[in-house]
Amino acid sequence: QHYLDNFWPDLKAAHELFDSIVQARRERESESQENHGKEYPEHLPVEVLEAGIKSGRYLQGALNVNKHRAQLEAFVRLQGVGSKDTG
């Protein structure tokens, strides 16, 4: 802001762009605070997930995504199991 004010005070488009960036950053920080610092909100409450894992309704594992074909190829390696679950 200081740079724009001092060197480009009449460049309206640059000031509007800067204001837009500042607003987007504030919104993102606000969303992050609402989500307790997590970038994405959780889909189900942790308590529901934990109960589902214990009951066998849900499975827990590590998601592995092919970095070269990320939209096409991924699998979940279940914890304590050597098999793959393609998804």
Side-chain angles (χ1 to χ4, degrees):
Q1 180 70 47
H2 181 71
Y3 173 81
L4 289 174
D5 289 341
N6 286 328
F7 295 101
W8 303 98
D10 300 326
L11 192 57
K12 184 178 179 182
H15 285 272
E16 289 174 358
L17 177 61
F18 178 80
D19 292 340
S20 174
I21 292 169
V22 169
Q23 180 62 30
R25 186 173 182 184
R26 285 183 186 145
E27 289 173 7
R28 185 171 179 177
E29 288 172 354
S30 174
E31 289 172 2
S32 178
Q33 288 175 354
E34 290 173 9
N35 294 325
H36 307 290
K38 297 176 183 168
E39 190 170 343
Y40 300 102
E42 296 174 359
H43 294 281
L44 293 173
V46 173
E47 301 82 30
V48 172
L49 292 174
E50 289 174 348
I53 291 169
K54 287 180 183 178
S55 71
R57 181 174 182 183
Y58 301 125
L59 301 174
Q60 182 175 4
L63 176 64
N64 293 279
V65 180
N66 183 325
K67 69 180 179 180
H68 302 291
R69 301 180 58 181
Q71 294 179 341
L72 302 173
E73 190 173 320
F75 66 91
V76 175
R77 186 177 308 274
L78 300 178
Q79 290 184 347
V81 179
S83 66
K84 296 179 183 178
D85 187 13
T86 305

Coordinates of all heavy atoms in Angstrom, one line a residue:
Q1 N 0.8 -1.2 0.0 CA 0.0 0.0 0.0 C 0.9 1.2 0.0 O 0.6 2.2 -0.8 CB -0.9 0.0 1.2 CG -1.8 1.2 1.3 CD -2.9 1.2 0.2 OE1 -3.6 0.2 0.0 NE2 -3.1 2.3 -0.4
H2 N 1.9 1.3 0.8 CA 2.8 2.4 0.9 C 3.5 2.7 -0.4 O 3.5 3.8 -0.8 CB 3.8 2.1 2.0 CG 4.8 3.3 2.3 ND1 4.4 4.4 2.9 CD2 6.1 3.4 2.0 CE1 5.4 5.2 2.9 NE2 6.5 4.6 2.4
Y3 N 3.9 1.6 -1.1 CA 4.6 1.8 -2.4 C 3.6 2.4 -3.4 O 4.0 3.3 -4.1 CB 5.1 0.4 -2.8 CG 5.7 0.4 -4.2 CD1 7.0 0.9 -4.5 CD2 4.9 0.0 -5.3 CE1 7.5 0.9 -5.8 CE2 5.4 0.0 -6.6 CZ 6.7 0.4 -6.8 OH 7.2 0.5 -8.1
L4 N 2.4 1.8 -3.5 CA 1.5 2.4 -4.4 C 1.1 3.8 -4.1 O 1.0 4.6 -5.0 CB 0.2 1.5 -4.4 CG 0.3 0.1 -5.0 CD1 -1.0 -0.7 -4.8 CD2 0.7 0.2 -6.5
D5 N 0.9 4.1 -2.9 CA 0.6 5.5 -2.5 C 1.7 6.5 -2.9 O 1.4 7.6 -3.3 CB 0.3 5.6 -1.0 CG -1.0 4.9 -0.6 OD1 -1.9 4.7 -1.5 OD2 -1.2 4.6 0.6
N6 N 2.9 6.1 -2.7 CA 4.0 7.0 -2.9 C 4.4 7.1 -4.4 O 4.8 8.2 -4.9 CB 5.3 6.6 -2.1 CG 5.1 6.9 -0.6 OD1 4.4 7.9 -0.3 ND2 5.6 6.1 0.2
F7 N 4.4 6.0 -5.1 CA 5.0 6.0 -6.5 C 3.9 5.9 -7.5 O 4.2 6.3 -8.7 CB 6.0 4.8 -6.6 CG 7.2 4.9 -5.8 CD1 7.3 4.2 -4.6 CD2 8.2 5.8 -6.1 CE1 8.4 4.3 -3.8 CE2 9.3 5.9 -5.3 CZ 9.4 5.2 -4.1
W8 N 2.7 5.4 -7.2 CA 1.7 5.3 -8.2 C 0.3 5.8 -7.7 O -0.7 5.0 -7.8 CB 1.6 3.8 -8.7 CG 2.8 3.3 -9.2 CD1 3.7 2.5 -8.6 CD2 3.4 3.5 -10.6 NE1 4.8 2.2 -9.4 CE2 4.6 2.8 -10.6 CE3 2.9 4.2 -11.7 CZ2 5.4 2.8 -11.8 CZ3 3.7 4.2 -12.8 CH2 4.9 3.5 -12.9
P9 N 0.3 7.0 -7.2 CA -1.0 7.4 -6.5 C -2.2 7.5 -7.5 O -3.3 7.4 -7.1 CB -0.6 8.8 -6.0 CG 0.6 9.3 -6.8 CD 1.3 8.0 -7.2
D10 N -1.9 7.7 -8.8 CA -3.0 7.8 -9.8 C -3.3 6.6 -10.5 O -4.2 6.6 -11.4 CB -2.6 9.0 -10.8 CG -2.4 10.3 -10.1 OD1 -3.1 10.6 -9.1 OD2 -1.6 11.1 -10.6
L11 N -2.7 5.5 -10.2 CA -2.9 4.2 -10.9 C -4.0 3.5 -10.3 O -3.8 2.6 -9.4 CB -1.6 3.4 -11.0 CG -1.6 2.2 -11.9 CD1 -1.9 2.6 -13.3 CD2 -0.2 1.5 -11.8
K12 N -5.3 3.8 -10.7 CA -6.5 3.3 -10.0 C -6.6 1.8 -10.1 O -6.9 1.1 -9.1 CB -7.7 4.0 -10.7 CG -9.0 3.6 -10.0 CD -10.2 4.3 -10.6 CE -11.4 3.8 -9.9 NZ -12.6 4.4 -10.5
A13 N -6.2 1.2 -11.2 CA -6.4 -0.3 -11.4 C -5.5 -1.0 -10.4 O -5.8 -2.0 -9.8 CB -6.0 -0.7 -12.8
A14 N -4.2 -0.5 -10.1 CA -3.3 -1.1 -9.2 C -3.9 -1.0 -7.8 O -3.8 -2.0 -7.0 CB -1.9 -0.5 -9.3
H15 N -4.4 0.1 -7.4 CA -5.0 0.3 -6.1 C -6.2 -0.7 -5.9 O -6.4 -1.2 -4.8 CB -5.4 1.7 -5.8 CG -4.2 2.6 -5.6 ND1 -3.7 2.8 -4.4 CD2 -3.5 3.4 -6.5 CE1 -2.7 3.7 -4.4 NE2 -2.5 4.0 -5.7
E16 N -7.0 -0.8 -6.9 CA -8.2 -1.7 -6.8 C -7.7 -3.2 -6.7 O -8.3 -3.9 -5.9 CB -9.1 -1.5 -8.1 CG -9.8 -0.2 -8.1 CD -10.6 0.0 -9.4 OE1 -10.5 -0.8 -10.3 OE2 -11.3 1.1 -9.5
L17 N -6.7 -3.5 -7.5 CA -6.2 -4.9 -7.4 C -5.6 -5.1 -6.0 O -5.9 -6.2 -5.4 CB -5.1 -5.1 -8.4 CG -4.4 -6.5 -8.4 CD1 -5.4 -7.6 -8.6 CD2 -3.3 -6.5 -9.5
F18 N -4.9 -4.2 -5.5 CA -4.3 -4.3 -4.1 C -5.4 -4.5 -3.1 O -5.4 -5.4 -2.2 CB -3.4 -3.1 -3.8 CG -2.9 -3.2 -2.4 CD1 -1.7 -4.0 -2.1 CD2 -3.5 -2.5 -1.3 CE1 -1.2 -4.1 -0.8 CE2 -2.9 -2.6 0.0 CZ -1.8 -3.4 0.2
D19 N -6.5 -3.7 -3.2 CA -7.6 -3.8 -2.2 C -8.3 -5.1 -2.3 O -8.7 -5.7 -1.3 CB -8.6 -2.6 -2.5 CG -8.1 -1.3 -2.1 OD1 -7.1 -1.2 -1.3 OD2 -8.6 -0.3 -2.6
S20 N -8.4 -5.6 -3.6 CA -9.0 -6.9 -3.8 C -8.2 -8.1 -3.1 O -8.7 -9.0 -2.5 CB -9.2 -7.2 -5.3 OG -9.6 -8.5 -5.5
I21 N -6.9 -8.0 -3.3 CA -6.0 -9.0 -2.7 C -6.1 -8.9 -1.2 O -6.1 -10.0 -0.5 CB -4.5 -8.8 -3.2 CG1 -4.4 -9.1 -4.6 CG2 -3.6 -9.6 -2.4 CD1 -3.1 -8.7 -5.3
V22 N -6.1 -7.7 -0.6 CA -6.2 -7.6 0.9 C -7.5 -8.2 1.4 O -7.5 -8.9 2.4 CB -6.0 -6.1 1.3 CG1 -6.4 -5.9 2.7 CG2 -4.6 -5.6 1.0
Q23 N -8.6 -7.9 0.7 CA -9.9 -8.4 1.1 C -9.9 -10.0 1.0 O -10.4 -10.6 1.9 CB -11.0 -7.8 0.2 CG -12.4 -8.3 0.6 CD -12.8 -7.9 2.0 OE1 -12.4 -6.9 2.5 NE2 -13.6 -8.8 2.6
A24 N -9.4 -10.5 -0.1 CA -9.3 -12.0 -0.2 C -8.5 -12.6 0.9 O -8.9 -13.7 1.4 CB -8.8 -12.4 -1.6
R25 N -7.4 -12.0 1.2 CA -6.6 -12.5 2.3 C -7.3 -12.5 3.6 O -7.2 -13.4 4.4 CB -5.3 -11.7 2.4 CG -4.3 -12.2 3.3 CD -3.0 -11.5 3.2 NE -2.0 -12.1 4.1 CZ -0.8 -11.6 4.3 NH1 -0.4 -10.6 3.7 NH2 0.0 -12.2 5.1
R26 N -8.0 -11.4 3.9 CA -8.8 -11.3 5.2 C -9.8 -12.4 5.2 O -10.1 -13.0 6.3 CB -9.4 -9.9 5.3 CG -8.4 -8.8 5.6 CD -9.1 -7.5 5.8 NE -8.2 -6.4 6.0 CZ -8.3 -5.2 5.5 NH1 -9.4 -4.8 4.9 NH2 -7.4 -4.3 5.8
E27 N -10.5 -12.6 4.1 CA -11.6 -13.6 4.1 C -11.0 -15.0 4.3 O -11.5 -15.8 5.0 CB -12.3 -13.6 2.7 CG -13.2 -12.4 2.6 CD -13.8 -12.3 1.2 OE1 -13.6 -13.2 0.4 OE2 -14.4 -11.2 0.9
R28 N -9.8 -15.3 3.7 CA -9.2 -16.6 3.9 C -8.7 -16.8 5.3 O -8.9 -17.8 5.9 CB -8.0 -16.7 3.0 CG -7.4 -18.1 3.0 CD -6.3 -18.2 1.9 NE -5.7 -19.6 2.0 CZ -4.9 -20.0 1.2 NH1 -4.5 -19.3 0.2 NH2 -4.4 -21.2 1.4
E29 N -8.2 -15.7 5.9 CA -7.8 -15.8 7.3 C -9.0 -16.0 8.2 O -8.9 -16.8 9.2 CB -7.0 -14.6 7.8 CG -5.6 -14.5 7.1 CD -4.9 -13.1 7.4 OE1 -5.6 -12.2 8.0 OE2 -3.8 -13.0 7.0
S30 N -10.1 -15.4 7.9 CA -11.3 -15.5 8.7 C -11.8 -16.9 8.6 O -12.2 -17.6 9.6 CB -12.4 -14.5 8.2 OG -13.6 -14.8 8.9
E31 N -11.8 -17.5 7.4 CA -12.3 -18.9 7.2 C -11.4 -19.9 7.9 O -11.8 -20.8 8.5 CB -12.3 -19.2 5.7 CG -13.4 -18.5 5.0 CD -13.3 -18.7 3.5 OE1 -12.4 -19.4 3.0 OE2 -14.2 -18.2 2.7
S32 N -10.1 -19.6 7.9 CA -9.1 -20.4 8.6 C -9.3 -20.4 10.1 O -9.3 -21.5 10.7 CB -7.7 -20.0 8.3 OG -6.7 -20.8 9.0
Q33 N -9.7 -19.3 10.6 CA -10.0 -19.2 12.1 C -11.2 -20.0 12.4 O -11.3 -20.6 13.4 CB -10.1 -17.7 12.5 CG -8.7 -17.0 12.5 CD -8.9 -15.5 12.9 OE1 -10.0 -15.0 13.0 NE2 -7.7 -14.9 13.0
E34 N -12.2 -19.9 11.5 CA -13.5 -20.6 11.7 C -13.3 -22.1 11.7 O -14.0 -22.8 12.4 CB -14.5 -20.2 10.7 CG -15.1 -18.8 10.9 CD -16.0 -18.3 9.7 OE1 -16.3 -19.2 8.9 OE2 -16.3 -17.1 9.7
N35 N -12.3 -22.5 10.9 CA -12.0 -24.0 10.7 C -10.9 -24.4 11.6 O -10.3 -25.4 11.4 CB -11.7 -24.3 9.3 CG -12.9 -24.0 8.4 OD1 -14.0 -24.3 8.7 ND2 -12.6 -23.6 7.1
H36 N -10.6 -23.6 12.6 CA -9.5 -23.9 13.6 C -8.2 -24.1 12.9 O -7.5 -25.1 13.3 CB -9.9 -25.1 14.5 CG -11.3 -24.9 15.1 ND1 -11.5 -24.0 16.1 CD2 -12.5 -25.5 14.9 CE1 -12.8 -24.1 16.5 NE2 -13.4 -25.0 15.7
G37 N -7.8 -23.3 12.0 CA -6.5 -23.4 11.3 C -6.4 -24.4 10.2 O -5.4 -24.5 9.6
K38 N -7.5 -25.1 10.0 CA -7.5 -26.1 8.9 C -7.9 -25.5 7.6 O -8.8 -24.7 7.5 CB -8.4 -27.3 9.2 CG -8.0 -28.0 10.5 CD -9.0 -29.1 10.8 CE -8.6 -29.7 12.1 NZ -9.6 -30.6 12.7
E39 N -7.2 -25.9 6.5 CA -7.4 -25.3 5.2 C -8.8 -25.6 4.7 O -9.5 -24.8 4.1 CB -6.4 -25.7 4.2 CG -6.5 -24.9 2.9 CD -5.3 -25.1 2.0 OE1 -4.2 -25.6 2.5 OE2 -5.4 -24.8 0.8
Y40 N -9.2 -26.9 5.0 CA -10.5 -27.4 4.5 C -11.4 -27.8 5.7 O -10.9 -28.4 6.6 CB -10.4 -28.6 3.6 CG -9.6 -28.2 2.3 CD1 -8.2 -28.6 2.3 CD2 -10.1 -27.5 1.3 CE1 -7.5 -28.3 1.1 CE2 -9.4 -27.2 0.2 CZ -8.1 -27.6 0.1 OH -7.3 -27.3 -1.0
P41 N -12.7 -27.5 5.7 CA -13.5 -27.9 6.8 C -13.7 -29.4 6.8 O -13.7 -30.0 5.7 CB -14.8 -27.2 6.6 CG -14.8 -26.9 5.1 CD -13.4 -26.7 4.7
E42 N -13.9 -30.0 7.9 CA -14.1 -31.5 8.0 C -15.5 -31.8 7.5 O -16.5 -31.0 7.7 CB -13.9 -32.0 9.4 CG -12.5 -31.8 9.9 CD -12.3 -32.1 11.4 OE1 -13.3 -32.5 12.0 OE2 -11.2 -32.0 11.8
H43 N -15.7 -32.9 6.9 CA -17.0 -33.3 6.4 C -17.9 -33.9 7.4 O -19.1 -33.7 7.5 CB -16.9 -34.3 5.2 CG -16.2 -33.7 4.0 ND1 -16.9 -32.9 3.1 CD2 -14.9 -33.7 3.5 CE1 -16.1 -32.5 2.2 NE2 -14.9 -33.0 2.4
L44 N -17.3 -34.7 8.3 CA -18.0 -35.3 9.4 C -17.3 -34.9 10.7 O -16.1 -34.8 10.7 CB -18.0 -36.8 9.3 CG -18.8 -37.4 8.1 CD1 -18.6 -38.9 8.0 CD2 -20.3 -37.1 8.3
P45 N -18.1 -34.8 11.8 CA -17.4 -34.6 13.1 C -16.4 -35.7 13.5 O -16.7 -36.9 13.1 CB -18.6 -34.5 14.1 CG -19.8 -34.3 13.3 CD -19.5 -34.9 11.9
V46 N -15.4 -35.4 14.2 CA -14.4 -36.3 14.5 C -15.0 -37.5 15.3 O -14.6 -38.6 15.2 CB -13.2 -35.6 15.3 CG1 -12.3 -36.6 15.9 CG2 -12.5 -34.6 14.5
E47 N -15.9 -37.2 16.2 CA -16.6 -38.2 17.0 C -17.3 -39.2 16.2 O -17.2 -40.4 16.5 CB -17.6 -37.6 18.0 CG -17.0 -36.5 18.9 CD -16.9 -35.2 18.3 OE1 -17.7 -34.8 17.4 OE2 -16.0 -34.4 18.7
V48 N -17.9 -38.8 15.1 CA -18.6 -39.7 14.2 C -17.6 -40.6 13.5 O -17.8 -41.8 13.3 CB -19.5 -38.9 13.2 CG1 -20.1 -39.9 12.1 CG2 -20.6 -38.2 13.9
L49 N -16.5 -40.0 13.0 CA -15.5 -40.8 12.3 C -14.9 -41.8 13.2 O -14.7 -43.0 12.9 CB -14.4 -39.8 11.8 CG -14.9 -38.9 10.6 CD1 -13.7 -37.9 10.3 CD2 -15.3 -39.7 9.4
E50 N -14.5 -41.4 14.5 CA -13.9 -42.3 15.4 C -14.8 -43.5 15.7 O -14.4 -44.7 15.7 CB -13.4 -41.6 16.7 CG -12.3 -40.7 16.4 CD -11.9 -39.9 17.7 OE1 -12.7 -39.8 18.6 OE2 -10.8 -39.2 17.6
A51 N -16.1 -43.2 15.9 CA -17.1 -44.3 16.2 C -17.2 -45.2 15.0 O -17.3 -46.4 15.1 CB -18.4 -43.7 16.6
G52 N -17.2 -44.6 13.8 CA -17.4 -45.4 12.6 C -16.2 -46.3 12.3 O -16.3 -47.4 11.9
I53 N -15.0 -45.8 12.7 CA -13.7 -46.6 12.5 C -13.8 -47.8 13.5 O -13.5 -48.9 13.2 CB -12.5 -45.8 12.7 CG1 -12.3 -44.8 11.5 CG2 -11.2 -46.6 12.8 CD1 -11.3 -43.7 11.7
K54 N -14.2 -47.5 14.8 CA -14.2 -48.6 15.8 C -15.3 -49.6 15.4 O -15.0 -50.8 15.7 CB -14.5 -48.0 17.1 CG -13.4 -47.2 17.8 CD -13.7 -46.6 19.1 CE -12.6 -45.8 19.7 NZ -12.9 -45.2 21.0
S55 N -16.4 -49.2 14.8 CA -17.5 -50.2 14.5 C -17.2 -50.9 13.2 O -17.9 -51.9 12.9 CB -18.8 -49.4 14.4 OG -18.8 -48.6 13.3
G56 N -16.2 -50.5 12.4 CA -16.0 -51.1 11.2 C -16.7 -50.5 10.0 O -16.6 -50.9 8.8
R57 N -17.5 -49.5 10.2 CA -18.3 -48.8 9.2 C -17.3 -48.0 8.2 O -17.5 -48.0 7.0 CB -19.3 -47.9 9.7 CG -20.1 -47.2 8.7 CD -21.2 -46.4 9.3 NE -22.0 -45.8 8.2 CZ -23.0 -45.0 8.3 NH1 -23.4 -44.7 9.6 NH2 -23.6 -44.4 7.3
Y58 N -16.3 -47.4 8.8 CA -15.3 -46.7 8.1 C -13.9 -47.3 8.2 O -13.7 -48.0 9.2 CB -15.2 -45.2 8.6 CG -16.5 -44.4 8.5 CD1 -17.0 -43.8 9.6 CD2 -17.2 -44.3 7.3 CE1 -18.2 -43.1 9.6 CE2 -18.3 -43.6 7.2 CZ -18.8 -42.9 8.4 OH -20.0 -42.2 8.3
L59 N -13.1 -47.1 7.2 CA -11.7 -47.6 7.3 C -10.8 -46.4 7.4 O -11.1 -45.4 6.8 CB -11.4 -48.4 6.0 CG -12.3 -49.6 5.8 CD1 -12.0 -50.3 4.4 CD2 -12.1 -50.7 6.9
Q60 N -9.6 -46.6 8.0 CA -8.7 -45.6 8.2 C -7.4 -46.0 7.5 O -6.9 -47.1 7.6 CB -8.4 -45.3 9.7 CG -7.4 -44.2 9.9 CD -7.3 -43.9 11.4 OE1 -7.8 -44.6 12.2 NE2 -6.5 -42.8 11.7
G61 N -6.8 -45.0 6.7 CA -5.6 -45.3 6.0 C -4.9 -44.1 5.5 O -5.4 -43.0 5.7
A62 N -3.9 -44.3 4.8 CA -3.1 -43.1 4.2 C -3.5 -43.1 2.7 O -3.4 -44.1 2.0 CB -1.6 -43.3 4.3
L63 N -3.8 -41.9 2.2 CA -4.2 -41.7 0.8 C -2.9 -41.5 0.0 O -2.1 -40.6 0.4 CB -5.1 -40.5 0.6 CG -5.4 -40.1 -0.8 CD1 -6.2 -41.2 -1.5 CD2 -6.2 -38.8 -0.8
N64 N -2.6 -42.2 -1.0 CA -1.5 -42.1 -1.9 C -2.0 -41.7 -3.2 O -2.8 -42.4 -3.8 CB -0.7 -43.4 -2.0 CG -0.1 -43.8 -0.6 OD1 1.0 -43.3 -0.3 ND2 -0.7 -44.6 0.1
V65 N -1.5 -40.6 -3.8 CA -1.9 -40.0 -5.1 C -0.7 -40.0 -6.0 O 0.4 -39.5 -5.6 CB -2.4 -38.6 -4.9 CG1 -2.9 -38.0 -6.2 CG2 -3.6 -38.6 -3.9
N66 N -0.9 -40.5 -7.2 CA 0.2 -40.5 -8.2 C 0.4 -39.0 -8.6 O -0.5 -38.4 -9.1 CB -0.3 -41.3 -9.4 CG 0.8 -41.4 -10.5 OD1 1.6 -40.5 -10.7 ND2 0.9 -42.5 -11.2
K67 N 1.6 -38.5 -8.4 CA 1.9 -37.1 -8.7 C 1.8 -36.8 -10.2 O 1.6 -35.6 -10.6 CB 3.2 -36.6 -8.1 CG 4.4 -37.2 -8.7 CD 5.7 -36.7 -8.0 CE 6.9 -37.3 -8.6 NZ 8.1 -36.8 -8.0
H68 N 2.0 -37.7 -11.0 CA 1.9 -37.5 -12.5 C 0.5 -37.7 -13.0 O 0.2 -37.2 -14.1 CB 2.9 -38.5 -13.2 CG 4.3 -38.3 -12.7 ND1 5.1 -37.2 -13.0 CD2 5.1 -39.1 -12.0 CE1 6.3 -37.3 -12.4 NE2 6.3 -38.5 -11.8
R69 N -0.3 -38.4 -12.3 CA -1.7 -38.7 -12.8 C -2.7 -38.5 -11.7 O -3.5 -39.3 -11.4 CB -1.8 -40.1 -13.4 CG -0.8 -40.4 -14.5 CD -1.0 -41.8 -15.0 NE -2.4 -42.0 -15.4 CZ -2.8 -43.1 -15.9 NH1 -2.1 -44.2 -16.0 NH2 -4.1 -43.2 -16.2
A70 N -2.6 -37.4 -11.0 CA -3.3 -37.1 -9.7 C -4.8 -37.2 -9.9 O -5.5 -37.6 -9.0 CB -2.9 -35.8 -9.2
Q71 N -5.3 -36.8 -11.1 CA -6.8 -36.9 -11.2 C -7.3 -38.3 -11.6 O -8.5 -38.5 -11.6 CB -7.2 -35.9 -12.3 CG -7.0 -34.4 -11.9 CD -7.3 -33.5 -13.0 OE1 -7.5 -33.8 -14.1 NE2 -7.5 -32.2 -12.6
L72 N -6.3 -39.2 -11.9 CA -6.7 -40.5 -12.4 C -6.3 -41.6 -11.5 O -6.9 -42.7 -11.6 CB -6.1 -40.7 -13.8 CG -6.5 -39.7 -14.9 CD1 -5.8 -40.0 -16.2 CD2 -8.0 -39.8 -15.2
E73 N -5.3 -41.5 -10.7 CA -4.7 -42.6 -10.0 C -4.4 -42.3 -8.6 O -3.6 -41.4 -8.3 CB -3.5 -43.1 -10.7 CG -2.9 -44.4 -10.3 CD -1.8 -44.9 -11.1 OE1 -1.8 -44.7 -12.4 OE2 -0.8 -45.4 -10.6
A74 N -5.0 -43.1 -7.7 CA -4.8 -42.9 -6.2 C -5.2 -44.2 -5.6 O -6.0 -45.0 -6.1 CB -5.5 -41.7 -5.7
F75 N -4.7 -44.5 -4.4 CA -5.2 -45.6 -3.6 C -5.0 -45.3 -2.1 O -4.3 -44.4 -1.7 CB -4.4 -46.9 -4.0 CG -3.0 -46.9 -3.6 CD1 -2.5 -47.3 -2.4 CD2 -2.0 -46.4 -4.5 CE1 -1.2 -47.3 -2.1 CE2 -0.7 -46.4 -4.2 CZ -0.2 -46.9 -3.0
V76 N -5.7 -46.1 -1.3 CA -5.6 -45.9 0.2 C -4.9 -47.1 0.7 O -5.4 -48.3 0.5 CB -7.0 -45.7 0.8 CG1 -6.9 -45.7 2.3 CG2 -7.7 -44.5 0.2
R77 N -3.9 -46.9 1.5 CA -3.2 -48.0 2.1 C -3.7 -48.1 3.5 O -3.6 -47.1 4.3 CB -1.7 -47.8 2.2 CG -0.9 -49.0 2.7 CD 0.6 -48.8 2.7 NE 1.1 -48.4 1.4 CZ 1.4 -49.3 0.4 NH1 1.3 -50.5 0.6 NH2 1.9 -48.8 -0.7
L78 N -4.4 -49.1 3.8 CA -5.1 -49.3 5.1 C -4.0 -49.5 6.2 O -3.0 -50.2 6.0 CB -6.1 -50.5 5.1 CG -7.2 -50.4 4.1 CD1 -8.0 -51.6 4.1 CD2 -8.0 -49.2 4.3
Q79 N -4.3 -49.0 7.4 CA -3.4 -49.1 8.5 C -3.3 -50.5 8.9 O -4.4 -51.1 9.2 CB -3.7 -48.2 9.6 CG -3.5 -46.7 9.3 CD -3.8 -45.8 10.5 OE1 -4.4 -46.2 11.5 NE2 -3.4 -44.6 10.4
G80 N -2.2 -51.1 9.0 CA -2.0 -52.5 9.5 C -2.3 -53.6 8.5 O -2.3 -54.7 8.8
V81 N -2.6 -53.1 7.2 CA -2.9 -54.1 6.2 C -2.0 -53.8 5.0 O -1.8 -52.7 4.6 CB -4.4 -53.9 5.7 CG1 -4.8 -54.9 4.6 CG2 -5.4 -54.1 6.9
G82 N -1.5 -54.9 4.3 CA -0.6 -54.7 3.2 C -1.3 -54.5 1.9 O -0.7 -54.3 0.9
S83 N -2.7 -54.7 1.8 CA -3.4 -54.6 0.6 C -3.7 -53.2 0.2 O -3.6 -52.3 1.0 CB -4.7 -55.4 0.6 OG -5.6 -54.8 1.6
K84 N -4.1 -53.0 -1.1 CA -4.4 -51.7 -1.6 C -5.9 -51.6 -1.9 O -6.5 -52.6 -2.3 CB -3.7 -51.3 -2.9 CG -2.2 -51.3 -2.7 CD -1.5 -51.0 -4.0 CE 0.0 -51.0 -3.8 NZ 0.7 -50.8 -5.0
D85 N -6.5 -50.5 -1.6 CA -7.9 -50.2 -1.9 C -8.0 -49.1 -2.9 O -7.8 -48.0 -2.6 CB -8.7 -49.8 -0.6 CG -10.2 -49.7 -0.8 OD1 -10.7 -50.2 -1.9 OD2 -10.9 -49.2 0.1
T86 N -8.2 -49.4 -4.2 CA -8.2 -48.4 -5.3 C -9.4 -47.6 -5.2 O -10.5 -48.0 -5.0 CB -8.1 -49.2 -6.6 OG1 -7.0 -50.1 -6.6 CG2 -8.0 -48.2 -7.8
G87 N -9.2 -46.3 -5.4 CA -10.3 -45.3 -5.4 C -10.0 -44.1 -6.1 O -9.0 -43.6 -6.5

